[in-house]
Every structure is written in structure tokens, then in C-alpha cells.
Amino acid sequence: MKYNNGNQCGGVLSEVIFDLIRLTDDRESVTVLDIRNVFGNRCFGPFLLFPAMLEISPIGGIPGVPTAIALVIVLFSIQIALGFEYLWLPKLIERREIGAKRFRKAMEWLLPVARWTDRAIKPRLDWATKRPWLNIFALICIALAATVPLLEIIPFASTIPMAAIALFGISILSRDGVVAILAALVSIGAFYLLYSTVVIFLA
């Protein structure tokens, strides 16, 4: 699959969610490769957005899942930062399976959020969603994902960095620079939360 460096992308979040829900039809499980193939050539946005949204969904409550999702985001973000045209995952990760019923339930839980987001976003300040800003966003996402293993010990704390990553994905997918600015602000909050967590544990 070839991507377009995130420069000419667009899409509707709810449409992608519907595609992911249809993916579960007549299946017992869904693989990471199946999910990646649904994204097709929609640009880089979904590769940051949907892993993060998956972590925020009820699936993220499974111990170890937030860290595993963070690893996937790091792998994608490194490739985006380096300017890769193809996003690659190791076969070991691509073959990982999620129960179809659990995955469908998570996507249906996210659908109202996607519909609301579709009404709120639109192309604005699209220069802020292209390179070199895209490279900077990818580096920030790597740093955010790196906070997840430590924050996972606190219930729902990893939701904050994942929310920031999801916002970066939305901004790229919709070419909405305003959302990118919001993502940067949420990122500051995530890093402050990590700092506070470290201080508490060292006290």
C-alpha cells in the first residue's frame, strides 16, 4: 500500500468506523493487518487516530493493551517522522488478533464520538497538518506513547496521552490545523501528568 505523505488526505471519521464495523461481519476475530488494510490510502491520520481511539475504548481496559497499542503507535510515528511512503509493521504484530465481538462493541462505542467529531472538524490552517509540521507531530506522538507504560499503572491515566495522539490523527485526516493546536495543548497536559506521577512515586 502506498500513502501520500499526509499531504493530500481527507475523510470522514464515521465512514472509517463503519468500515471497521463491517470488518467484523461473519468473523470470529480481526487481525491488526485487517484493520490496517481498511485504512487503505486515507493518509497517515488513521494510523495515529484509531490505535489511540482503540485504547480509549473499553478494549483499553485490558491489562497490557495500552502498552501494546503504544508500541504500534511508536512504530508508525517513527516511519512518519522519517518520511516513509509505506507504513510497515512486523508480521508478529500484524497477526495479532482481537475478538470480533469485542472489537465491534468498541467501534460501536466510538461511533457517536466520530459522528460528533465529523460535525466539528473542517479544513482549517491546513499548512499546520503538512510537513515539516507532520514530522514534528510524529515525534510528539512518539514521546506521548512512551509515557503510556508508566501511566498504565494508574487507572485511565493513559487516556490523556492517547487523546492527544487521537487529536493529532484527526487533524491530519481532516486537514484541520486548529485540532493540531488543541492536540499540542493536550500533549502538554499529558507530559505534566507524567511529571506529577513520577514526583509522587519518588516522594
Side-chain angles (χ1 to χ4, degrees):
M1 291 183 292
K2 186 172 183 179
Y3 304 93
N4 55 12
N5 281 328
N7 291 329
Q8 297 296 328
C9 55
V12 180
L13 302 184
S14 56
E15 288 181 0
V16 183
I17 292 287
F18 276 123
D19 288 343
L20 291 170
I21 290 174
R22 283 193 290 267
L23 185 63
T24 65
D25 292 342
D26 302 318
R27 289 174 180 244
E28 292 185 0
S29 63
V30 175
T31 67
V32 173
L33 179 59
D34 292 331
I35 297 169
R36 196 186 81 162
N37 288 340
V38 167
F39 297 157
N41 60 356
R42 285 187 172 96
C43 83
F44 295 143
F47 292 87
L48 297 176
L49 169 60
F50 286 97
M53 291 183 71
L54 198 61
E55 194 279 339
I56 295 171
S57 78
I59 286 180
I62 302 173
V65 167
T67 296
I69 291 175
L71 176 60
V72 171
I73 290 172
V74 167
L75 289 173
F76 281 145
S77 298
I78 289 173
Q79 294 173 74
I80 295 171
L82 293 177
F84 283 25
E85 292 188 356
Y86 297 86
L87 294 188
W88 168 87
L89 279 177
K91 294 293 184 183
L92 180 63
I93 294 179
E94 286 186 338
R95 293 170 181 165
R96 292 295 298 269
E97 296 182 347
I98 304 172
K101 289 183 179 179
R102 184 186 294 270
F103 182 76
R104 187 183 187 96
K105 183 177 180 180
M107 291 302 100
E108 290 174 345
W109 182 84
L110 290 172
L111 187 56
V113 179
R115 285 171 169 163
W116 180 87
T117 303
D118 284 338
R119 292 193 294 268
I121 60 176
K122 59 183 177 181
R124 294 173 290 190
L125 305 178
D126 65 340
W127 54 266
T129 64
K130 300 177 182 178
R131 301 191 189 277
W133 293 104
L134 180 61
N135 304 69
I136 295 172
F137 295 163
L139 293 174
I140 295 174
C141 286
I142 292 171
L144 288 166
T147 70
V148 170
L150 180 58
L151 293 177
E152 191 176 352
I153 63 178
I154 303 173
F156 306 111
S158 62
T159 297
I160 298 178
M162 285 297 180
I165 293 170
L167 288 170
F168 278 124
I170 290 172
S171 70
I172 296 167
L173 182 61
S174 61
R175 303 193 303 275
D176 193 336
V178 173
V179 176
I181 294 171
L182 177 60
L185 295 175
V186 176
S187 299
I188 294 172
F191 293 130
Y192 179 76
L193 176 62
L194 176 65
Y195 169 77
S196 301
T197 301
V198 171
V199 169
I200 291 172
F201 273 88
L202 293 179

